[in-house]
Amino acid sequence: MPRPLGELEDAVMTRVWQWNRPVTVREVLEDLQQERSIAYTTVMTVMDNLHQKGWVRREAEGRAYRYTAVSTRAAYSAALMNEAWSTSDNPAAALVAFFGMMSAEQREALRDAIRIVGHDGEAAPPAAEAEADSAERGPEPGR
């Protein structure tokens, strides 16, 4: 289970996830500097730490590295939620409390996720694939 990212680690990873391409320390630094005063060596250390922790992989490019996310933000968030839920002494109560904190939009996203995963925990085919399958089979008898 991943430990939660620190504030600066999260700021760096947010950029890596959003850009969804190999990034350099310089690129991340320049973007962070729009919000705060920060040194190149600080960003370099954070990115090296993220590499050591397995959050990013890196490839040498000249004297620098290009960093790429190993996982998605969604997978990170899911792992954090799973860890928090699994440490509860009453998982059902924890879920009820969590659902009670959700906005209407979040509850709708939850309903969508349950429809996608299905009741057996296996991912159901996306609606477009299901419709395509239906179209290939033709109309059902009696319709």
Side-chain angles (χ1 to χ4, degrees):
M1 161 56 204
R3 285 187 21 222
L5 296 171
E7 188 267 329
L8 189 52
E9 289 174 328
D10 187 68
V12 169
M13 283 306 301
T14 293
R15 283 147 179 88
V16 175
W17 283 319
Q18 285 177 342
W19 295 339
N20 197 28
R21 62 173 172 76
V23 300
T24 63
V25 171
R26 176 80 45 206
E27 290 173 308
V28 174
L29 170 72
E30 290 172 359
D31 200 60
L32 284 170
Q33 285 178 329
Q34 295 177 25
E35 300 171 1
R36 65 178 86 193
S37 176
I38 190 166
Y40 180 92
T41 53
T42 301
V43 177
M44 184 176 63
T45 299
V46 169
M47 293 185 82
D48 184 60
N49 290 343
L50 289 167
H51 175 255
Q52 297 299 322
K53 292 177 180 181
W55 286 107
V56 294
R57 70 178 57 92
R58 65 185 182 193
E59 290 187 30
E61 183 175 282
R63 294 180 2 176
Y65 289 107
R66 287 212 172 259
Y67 294 85
T68 308
V70 170
S71 186
T72 64
R73 180 178 278 284
Y76 165 70
S77 297
L80 290 177
M81 288 187 289
N82 187 57
E83 175 67 15
W85 182 55
S86 67
T87 61
S88 172
D89 60 348
N90 187 340
L95 284 174
V96 169
F98 179 64
F99 297 157
M101 296 176 195
M102 293 175 132
S103 68
E105 294 80 20
Q106 290 170 323
R107 285 191 300 275
E108 185 60 33
L110 176 63
R111 283 189 211 62
D112 291 344
I114 291 170
R115 278 194 291 274
I116 291 168
V117 172
H119 296 292
D120 59 2
E122 295 294 321
E129 288 181 24
E131 290 174 10
D133 290 345
S134 175
E136 288 176 9
R137 286 191 307 268
E140 292 180 19
R143 290 195 178 203

